[in-house]
Amino acid sequence: MASNVNPTVRRRRLGQELRRLRELKGMTAEEVAERLLVSQSKISRLENGRRSISQRDVRDLCSVYEVEDHRVVDSLMQMAKDSRQQGWWHAFGDIPYSVYIGLETDAASLRVYESLIVPGLLQTRDYAEAVISGMWPEATPAEVEKRIQVRLKRQDRLSDPDGPLRFWAVIDEALLRRVVGTERIMADQLEHLAQLSAQPHVTLQVLPYSVGAHPGMYGKFAILEFADALDASVVYLEGVTSDLYLEKANDVQSYTVMYEHLRAKALSAEQSREFILQVAAEYAH
């Protein structure tokens, strides 16, 4: 279940409000940085929610922007305090994609395209262990286990009794055919996919080889949307050493259109379930 105080989302909201105040003042990030004797990159990180914001930062910025309404200042200060709390994922130590987990935890809906790996929220434990070990060969058993536990904990969003995540996945046939672990693990994984896809809030579509070239050949991506209108949608692009978060309306719209093309080319949800069970049977026998 999403936390009432999600530090990642609070940082985003606070950063958006600070950017709005700066723009109302007619100042550039460079000018603000010069006034506060800090780097421009710090101002940018504060505004895009990628860095924790202290109450002192908020106070100094409100002073520069000449915010006179004490209620506004107090509200921003409280948001800064909330944004420094720890989400459930912090208990697992250093997680490279913790920003994404924070967004996923608070998202109302998630649309993903995957070409090579079963989406993390749909993985069985055995599949997760095999794929994590294969993609991170230098990891110790303890490190692999930690990532497995984080992945399994993330899956709670699909069974949240107070409002499960609305999940839509378009997956390439290639990830069904690639044997991760053993054929028995693959059979179990695909049967698990079929079971999950029968839930009303989970939609799964397979993009078969027969469609040929398609927009998803650029690579996997995710589109996160939130219930609160103040929280803009985000496109997430995962990298090896760093991740990319796109929040500009034009970028989100481009990926949304791309996703609609993928949905149109993919098999229907019912056809996809039958196809997945067919491949699972091939592995089982």
Side-chain angles (χ1 to χ4, degrees), residues 125-180:
R125 178 190 171 86
D126 288 342
Y127 183 96
E129 181 176 6
V131 79
I132 291 171
S133 299
M135 294 181 66
W136 196 19
E138 72 277 14
T140 65
E143 291 170 330
V144 171
E145 179 62 24
K146 180 176 73 171
R147 292 206 180 190
I148 293 172
Q149 291 302 320
V150 171
R151 191 155 302 181
L152 297 178
K153 176 64 176 176
R154 287 169 52 205
Q155 295 176 2
D156 289 347
R157 286 292 286 114
L158 292 180
S159 57
D160 182 357
D162 295 330
L165 178 70
R166 177 70 180 91
F167 186 77
W168 198 309
V170 176
I171 61 175
D172 196 282
E173 180 180 347
L175 71 81
L176 304 178
R177 301 294 184 183
R178 179 177 296 278
V179 179
V180 174

Side-chain angles (χ1 to χ4, degrees), residues 14 58 70-82:
L14 180 53
V58 171
H70 293 293
R71 292 172 300 178
V72 172
V73 177
D74 290 344
S75 176
L76 295 177
M77 294 278 277
Q78 183 61 46
M79 290 177 69
K81 181 179 179 180
D82 292 342

Side-chain angles (χ1 to χ4, degrees), residues 29-31 33-34 38-45:
E30 294 92 333
E31 291 171 335
E34 185 176 351
V38 299
S39 67
Q40 178 191 342
S41 62
K42 175 178 178 178
I43 302 300
S44 297
R45 290 195 299 272

